[in-house]
Amino acid sequence: MSGTPAPLPIDTALPALLQALTKRPCAVLAAPPGAGKTTRVPPAVAAAPWTTGRRILMLEPRRVAARAAAERIAAETGEPVGKSVGYRIRGDTRIGPATRIEVVTEGILTRMLQTDPALEGVACVIFDEVHERSIHADLGMALTLEVQSALRDDLRIIAMSATLDTARFARLMNDAPVIESAGRLHPVETRWLDRPLLPPPGRGRPPRFEDRVAEEVAALMTDGAVTQETEQGDALVFLPGAGEIRRVASALAPRLPEVAIVPLHGQLPFAEQRRALMRDGDGCRRVVLSTAIAETSLTVEGVRIVVDAGRARRAEVNPATGLPRLVTRPVSRAEADQRRGRAGRLGPGQCLRLWTTGEQGALPAASPPEILTADLAALALELAAWGADDPGALPFLDPPPAPALNEARALLARLGALDRAGGATAHGRAVALFPAHPRLAHMVLSAAEAGRGRLAARLAALVEARAPLPGGADIEPSLRALENPTGAAREALLRIAAEAERLERAVGATAKAKTAPCPVGEAGDWLSLAFPDRIARRRPGPVPASGARYLLANGRGAALAPDDALAAQDMILALDVDDRGADARIRRAAALDQNALENRHGPRIVTEQTASWSRRHRRVEAETRRRLDALILDANQWRGAPPDVLGRALCEGLADLGGQASAALLAWPKGAVALRQRVGWLVRVGAAAGRQSDLPDLTDDALAMTAEAWLLPFLDRETTLEAIAPATLSLALETYLGHMRLAEIDRAAPAHIITPLGEKAAIDYSREEPTLPIRVQALFGETRHPTIGAPPRPLVLELLSPAGRPVQTTRDLPGFWARSYADVRKDMRARYPRHPWPENPAEATPTRRAKPRAP
């Protein structure tokens, strides 16, 4: 031992925690920041008599936190890490035969459970910072609770956090007792901005977010501190990602020349992360620019000032496409409180929030659990390997959403990791054990079998890392640079190479395949195994200013910058896609050869004969084509397509165009137009009288939507609407109505009447009421007004001059003869003197002729 550790607030809560665990298998510990729970709980539990000879596992959500926690606990025991206290994280393990306390990341616990479901030799599992709600933490908790229930009633489980929803976790853990600890949080003065950090859009060019953050931090560090302690303290600035950290650091350097600007994020080597946590001995003030990695667990020495930029970056999956996207969101109030607490861990502090008090009220109470928004492929595979057909049967705090889980299972089935029943295949179990995302694990394991393990391992390491080289989307330059890391990107390339070597060792142990040199040109080929849904083909046509447009195999559109070297490629593998906007943005990709694609994905390529409506060309296009999901690899004209297949596609075209557009292309004959108008009038009359007609809707829109019912049987290989003969349309319409209906239509709404001259006169049903346009002389001698239907309805007579121009309309012909005809006769005799205009038209002989000319 290196001396008695300084007392911490959590020490007073430890007896109650240990007492609870002697009576119950689960406990919930709520302790505010700085209480010391991460450092003191594992040793206290390890000293309990019921743990003798067995290990304690403590889960930390991040690798840097796991290492730091193990080092602090080991330091208090006076031993180096790896003896009684050790850690296991991805790519690094420090444990030995005497290790009693193991600090592990959440994925490591899942691996341990899958290989040893009973957790033999483990007395207690501690879930630290459970409020962060990562997928692996939720899964680890669910599996551990099930193990405790089914196999290990002696296994203890502790959930602890500074901002814990104690009631929910207590219920999940079988009504576990809740122990609360006082904290050692010093007073923190909180300040907000007077106005928003960035002006609202539309007021000129706004300043960069990073420049405004740097401006506020510099002002606070030079003259904004409010106490003597904070005047000499370091500042911890929370930013959403590594990119913002680099840009703020560049903007701060000239403003604070005597202050050390220190980055802290997960992409840094652990040595640099450790340096960011420790204060230098020279006393130089620091500004630590950190992602959310410093929100919990970690203590950054010397910090008395927190500047919260108010943003957090989260990985989400677009539910419409299944594609991932990184989104920057406002922090939740819970996250903001965690960040604020960092200023009071070592003494009085201050926190500047870069938003207004008005904006504070709009913040969400808490960020959504990762299980509700993120990619569930790894979770779905773990559940299948565990044998959990129904995730609802496991004790999840929030069960995984069914739609996202189904999408994940569909992907795993495509990767060969799940069988038809949804169980894990032998390949799936190997994928689950491999230390990478299931997509990448499938690629590396498959490539290793073909002697390309080294290439696939490097590709997987590159995919998981931020692009090390600036420039275009092509991954191949980065792959080549791994052979000889030099230049400004050397450190990043070395980290990626080290990760690739770790994966190589894993694949050697898993598949026992020999590695081989890296043929860079095969990158797209092997990556297509990991991302079969992101195989992309360029859309035809010139490259627009917005970028080369591609169609992904999953049906999503995507775009590549027009000046990118890959923009000329017909086929690419879009491995990194930002799924926002009309077309997703392709950020990283690899060239893809169609011949290699067909060799790799041949079983998924479907040859099909199809006839479909082309909206662009307004015709049916019949093709024999080969298709990979949504991608058409090649197509040729389908000669001899059956008439019914062409007809259905043409009917789909009618529905696609809609009534107005299709009516303009169909050559309806006058008789068919009139028949439709007659039916329409009958339907309107019935509706006005409160009767429901059994006549079909023959409007343009209705006929367009029901074309298969009335038109399809009469089509004969037509591929355009203009090609349908007028006679075909008439026959189709009459057949659709049927003989009985046509007879009823003729009785109720006849197409014409017989005039006194014995001629047929067509009735116009296109108007509001049926109208008979007829010359006045043709009705001479008619003493009754013409009617139609039963009960009889008077026609509207549109009386015409000898020149066919309307003279008058009437619904009472006898009344017209008696009252209005005399005035009409006077006018007509003057205009048409050669035509007969008798004084008594009711007794005159109808005629269509004029008087003979005088000799």
Side-chain angles (χ1 to χ4, degrees):
M1 296 290 290
S2 59
T4 302
L8 292 173
I10 194 67
D11 294 339
T12 60
L14 293 177
L17 175 66
L18 296 174
Q19 178 66 22
L21 290 172
T22 61
K23 299 177 180 179
R24 300 286 298 276
C26 297
V28 176
L29 176 62
K37 61 185 180 304
T38 301
T39 305
R40 296 290 168 83
V41 170
V45 172
W50 46 267
T51 69
T52 302
R54 294 184 294 171
R55 293 171 293 148
I56 311 300
L57 299 182
M58 182 170 73
L59 275 76
E60 289 293 333
R62 296 179 177 88
R63 283 180 286 175
V64 61
R67 277 169 160 163
E71 288 179 347
R72 288 200 307 273
I73 298 170
E76 291 197 355
T77 65
E79 296 178 353
V81 174
K83 287 198 173 182
S84 63
V85 181
Y87 64 80
R88 294 196 216 191
I89 62 175
R90 192 177 75 174
D92 190 10
T93 298
R94 298 285 297 278
I95 61 171
T99 301
R100 292 281 320 284
I101 298 172
E102 291 185 26
V103 185
V104 301
T105 47
E106 297 147 339
I108 299 297
L109 175 64
T110 307
R111 295 277 71 71
M112 296 171 72
L113 285 163
Q114 293 284 19
T115 54
D116 178 16
L119 287 179
E120 295 293 343
V122 174
C124 182
V125 180
I126 304 170
F127 291 84
D128 195 15
E129 308 297 358
V130 290
H131 70 277
E132 294 199 9
R133 297 297 309 281
S134 72
I135 285 181
H136 276 297
D138 280 4
L139 175 63
M141 175 70 78
L143 298 185
T144 306
L145 286 171
E146 185 172 70
V147 167
Q148 183 190 67
S149 173
L151 301 175
R152 289 281 313 279
D153 57 3
D154 64 325
L155 180 67
R156 270 48 166 211
I157 303 173
I158 303 172
M160 58 186 195
S161 172
T163 59
L164 180 67
D165 186 348
T166 55
R168 289 192 74 198
F169 272 94
R171 285 194 300 271
L172 180 73
M173 302 169 73
N174 300 313
D175 296 322
V178 178
I179 293 90
E180 296 188 8
S181 168
R184 194 181 63 178
L185 189 64
H186 298 277
V188 176
E189 182 193 15
T190 305
R191 292 194 285 168
W192 286 266
L193 297 181
D194 295 329
R195 59 180 59 88
L197 183 69
L198 298 176
R203 298 186 180 179
R205 186 175 182 180
R208 280 199 324 170
F209 165 76
E210 291 86 352
D211 290 334
R212 284 288 293 117
V213 172
E215 180 182 329
E216 294 291 342
V217 172
L220 189 64
M221 292 295 287
T222 54
D223 57 10
V226 295
T227 65
Q228 182 176 358
E229 292 89 346
T230 58
E231 283 178 359
Q232 298 303 314
D234 294 343
L236 176 61
V237 182
F238 284 101
L239 293 162
E244 288 85 354
I245 287 175
R246 288 192 301 274
R247 291 187 286 273
V248 171
S250 297
L252 268 180
R255 289 182 168 96
L256 299 173
E258 297 184 3
V259 175
I261 312 299
V262 183
L264 176 59
H265 54 81
Q267 297 173 8
L268 293 172
F270 182 62
E272 293 183 35
Q273 293 174 345
R274 183 189 282 114
R275 281 197 295 271
L277 301 178
M278 310 293 291
R279 211 173 182 200
D280 293 334
D282 58 10
C284 177
R285 292 188 78 192
R286 304 185 307 156
V287 172
V288 180
L289 305 177
S290 177
T291 60
I293 195 173
E295 273 182 19
T296 56
S297 299
L298 296 175
T299 297
V300 184
E301 291 187 1
V303 169
R304 295 295 183 87
I305 301 168
V306 164
V307 180
D308 188 354
R311 299 183 182 184
R313 185 152 296 141
R314 315 186 199 286
E316 296 182 357
V317 170
N318 185 334
T321 64
L323 291 176
R325 56 186 174 186
L326 282 175
V327 295
T328 303
R329 305 283 192 204
V331 294
S332 66
R333 294 195 297 274
E335 289 170 310
D337 288 343
Q338 280 282 350
R339 295 177 176 190
R340 174 184 177 276
R342 301 295 96 181
R345 296 195 71 164
L346 305 176
Q350 68 179 114
C351 171
L352 174 61
R353 290 172 168 172
L354 299 185
W355 60 90
T356 65
T357 53
E359 292 173 305
Q360 171 78 11
L363 296 179
S367 57
E370 193 178 18
I371 199 170
L372 300 182
T373 61
D375 174 20
L376 299 185
L379 175 71
L381 184 55
E382 296 291 357
L383 291 175
W386 187 257
D389 296 332
D390 178 16
L394 290 175
F396 278 107
L397 200 63
D398 290 285
L405 193 62
N406 291 338
E407 286 286 335
R409 286 169 169 165
L411 171 66
L412 294 170
R414 180 179 295 180
L415 300 180
L418 298 184
D419 57 28
R420 291 186 177 181
T425 62
H427 177 65
R429 294 185 181 279
V431 166
L433 291 173
F434 195 78
H437 187 280
R439 288 180 182 267
L440 301 177
H442 167 66
M443 173 186 70
V444 175
L445 292 171
S446 301
E449 295 294 334
R452 291 289 189 265
R454 170 170 290 186
L455 171 62
R458 291 189 172 189
L459 288 171
L462 280 169
V463 168
E464 290 190 322
R466 184 177 61 85
L469 301 181
D474 194 355
I475 197 174
E476 289 189 11
S478 297
L479 189 57
R480 292 190 185 93
L482 287 178
E483 294 289 346
N484 183 26
T486 58
R490 183 174 183 273
E491 293 299 321
L493 289 168
L494 287 173
R495 289 196 298 272
I496 294 170
E499 174 64 10
E501 290 177 5
R502 183 183 73 85
L503 295 176
E504 281 189 69
R505 290 192 298 271
V507 78
T510 303
K512 298 181 180 180
K514 295 181 179 179
T515 58
C518 292
V520 174
E522 295 181 12
D525 179 22
W526 291 107
L527 284 167
S528 72
L529 287 179
F531 302 96
D533 49 333
R534 299 185 208 167
I535 298 168
R537 185 161 200 173
R538 192 153 63 94
R539 298 183 188 270
V543 177
S546 59
R549 299 182 65 239
Y550 285 82
L551 177 67
L552 302 181
N554 63 9
R556 181 73 163 101
L560 191 61
D563 57 348
D564 195 283
L566 286 177
Q569 287 285 334
D570 179 53
M571 300 198 74
I572 62 173
L573 191 285
L575 65 100
D576 188 356
V577 179
D578 184 9
D579 191 29
R580 285 178 286 191
D583 279 332
R585 301 302 302 179
I586 301 173
R587 295 187 293 206
R588 281 203 288 177
L592 196 56
D593 178 73
Q594 183 165 331
N595 291 330
L597 175 74
E598 296 194 15
N599 290 335
R600 185 70 56 204
H601 299 276
R604 290 177 48 220
I605 296 174
V606 177
T607 299
E608 60 187 10
Q609 292 178 313
T610 180
S612 60
W613 173 257
S614 169
R615 181 178 296 179
R616 179 180 180 186
H617 300 113
R618 291 196 170 189
R619 64 177 298 115
V620 173
E621 295 181 348
E623 296 177 325
T624 298
R625 61 193 187 187
R626 294 187 312 123
R627 177 177 55 81
L628 177 64
D629 296 339
L631 302 182
I632 306 302
L633 301 181
D634 52 55
N636 297 291
Q637 184 178 356
W638 180 15
R639 301 184 183 278
D644 63 315
V645 174
L646 297 175
R648 283 191 177 85
L650 195 58
C651 292
E652 290 172 5
L654 262 173
D656 178 67
L657 288 171
Q660 186 175 0
S662 62
L665 297 176
L666 291 172
W668 285 104
K670 289 183 179 180
V673 172
L675 177 58
R676 293 172 57 197
Q677 291 169 349
R678 292 158 63 197
V679 170
W681 176 73
L682 288 172
V683 171
R684 291 196 302 274
V685 168
R691 299 191 306 269
Q692 185 172 0
S693 174
D694 66 343
L695 293 172
D697 187 349
L698 300 185
T699 61
D700 289 335
D701 287 338
L703 289 177
M705 297 305 297
T706 60
E708 283 201 21
W710 66 273
L711 180 59
L712 178 59
F714 298 91
L715 295 177
D716 184 23
R717 310 190 67 82
E718 294 92 345
T719 57
T720 65
L721 298 180
E722 299 93 327
I724 304 174
T728 299
L729 292 172
S730 288
L731 178 60
L733 188 63
E734 292 172 0
T735 305
Y736 184 49
L737 289 168
H739 177 73
M740 298 291 290
R741 280 178 176 162
L742 287 172
E744 178 58 31
I745 292 167
D746 285 341
R747 285 191 296 270
H752 57 270
I753 66 168
I754 304 299
T755 70
L757 290 170
E759 298 173 336
K760 291 181 178 181
I763 302 172
D764 184 358
Y765 288 86
S766 67
R767 310 189 195 189
E768 185 175 349
E769 294 186 57
T771 300
L772 180 68
I774 190 168
R775 291 183 180 182
V776 176
Q777 292 94 334
L779 292 175
F780 288 165
E782 185 66 58
T783 59
R784 291 183 301 176
H785 191 90
T787 61
I788 60 172
R793 297 175 65 92
L795 285 171
V796 175
L797 296 179
E798 183 180 63
L799 301 176
L800 307 177
S801 70
R805 295 187 180 92
V807 173
Q808 192 161 337
T809 59
T810 182
R811 293 176 176 80
D812 180 8
L813 182 62
F816 170 73
W817 293 143
R819 292 184 292 273
S820 303
Y821 174 72
D823 292 335
V824 171
R825 176 177 179 267
K826 184 186 298 184
D827 184 46
M828 292 295 100
R829 286 182 72 189
R831 292 190 183 191
Y832 305 99
R834 294 184 57 249
H835 287 261
W837 300 104
E839 290 186 13
N840 188 0
E843 296 180 358
T845 302
T847 182
R848 74 170 72 93
R849 300 180 183 276
K851 298 175 182 177
R853 290 182 181 274

